[in-house]
Amino acid sequence: IGSSQKKNSAAGSNDNKNTMMVSKKNNSTQSVIQSLMLFALGAFATSLFYKMQGTAYHRSRGNKREPGNAWTLAITMTFSDESDLQYILDEWKMVTKYCQENEPFLLHYEGGKMDSDPLKLHMLERYASKDDYLNKHKQGSEFLKFRPKLKKLQDEGKVTIEGYSYQELGIGFV
């Protein structure tokens, strides 16, 4: 092989090495871009999953605590009959669904039965402000449908309602 052929062969070999290096760099760059795109897609899918869940867990974790600004209402309803309690719980489901979807100022809205008296229902409601409770929540369409049903049971002596409210001090955590 002549010297010019050796040079051409060496030059061709260098070209192949350079092409392979560029190809490896392109593959590496493409791999990084693909990884970032998959990560972004995964983050988007996770976010969408939790948004679509609409669960109480997700909702409560999504609200930010503003110490000292939340206004809280705690009530206890004592029913004389299990069927009336169940009726109110069934009716209240529509209120909670409406509140979760339409009342971002409502930070916590939950009920529970007392361990020692299954006819007692406790409700805890946290609002961004007392004004939000008085002028927004109490004017909500589902609340306005629900409240007369509860009032009727009160007037018939089938349920008593006691409660209290307070302005949070901002000491503690949620």
Side-chain angles (χ1 to χ4, degrees):
I1 299 179
S3 66
S4 65
Q5 286 179 326
K6 284 183 182 177
K7 286 181 187 175
N8 286 341
S9 176
S13 176
N14 283 340
D15 286 344
N16 285 344
K17 287 180 184 175
N18 288 339
T19 302
M20 287 176 57
M21 287 176 56
V22 168
S23 177
K24 284 182 181 179
K25 284 184 182 178
N26 285 342
N27 286 342
S28 177
T29 301
Q30 286 176 343
S31 177
V32 168
I33 290 171
Q34 286 175 340
S35 295
L36 288 173
M37 288 176 67
L38 286 173
F39 176 78
L41 181 61
F44 174 75
T46 300
S47 172
L48 186 61
F49 171 79
Y50 282 112
K51 184 173 180 88
M52 291 175 69
Q53 288 294 306
T55 63
Y57 174 81
H58 176 67
R59 171 105 170 132
S60 67
R61 295 288 186 221
N63 289 327
K64 292 185 179 178
R65 165 83 171 170
E66 294 183 26
N69 291 331
W71 182 80
T72 301
L73 174 64
I75 63 169
T76 300
M77 293 180 272
T78 305
F79 292 85
S80 57
D81 186 76
E82 174 69 29
S83 63
D84 292 326
L85 183 143
Q86 192 57 51
Y87 166 72
I88 287 301
L89 285 176
D90 290 341
E91 294 295 318
W92 189 58
K93 287 177 186 175
M94 295 302 294
V95 180
T96 60
K97 183 177 187 314
Y98 173 87
C99 291
Q100 187 174 26
E101 294 171 356
N102 298 290
E103 297 185 3
F105 52 84
L106 182 48
L107 309 174
H108 187 120
Y109 200 51
E110 189 169 15
K113 283 186 181 181
M114 189 171 177
D115 287 341
S116 61
D117 187 347
L119 293 177
K120 284 193 178 186
L121 181 64
H122 293 282
M123 307 290 290
L124 185 64
E125 307 173 29
R126 289 182 68 238
Y127 298 87
S129 71
K130 185 176 183 177
D131 183 65
D132 287 334
Y133 167 73
L134 294 172
N135 298 312
K136 294 178 185 174
H137 175 72
K138 288 181 77 174
Q139 302 307 314
S141 61
E142 290 299 323
F143 179 85
L144 292 172
K145 291 178 197 173
F146 171 79
R147 188 57 182 111
K149 296 171 185 177
L150 184 58
K151 177 77 168 105
K152 182 177 185 279
L153 291 177
Q154 279 181 277
D155 293 344
E156 294 171 353
K158 295 181 177 183
V159 64
T160 59
I161 300 176
E162 299 174 18
Y164 58 92
S165 63
Y166 58 90
Q167 183 68 44
E168 293 180 357
L169 300 175
I171 300 170
F173 63 93
V174 174

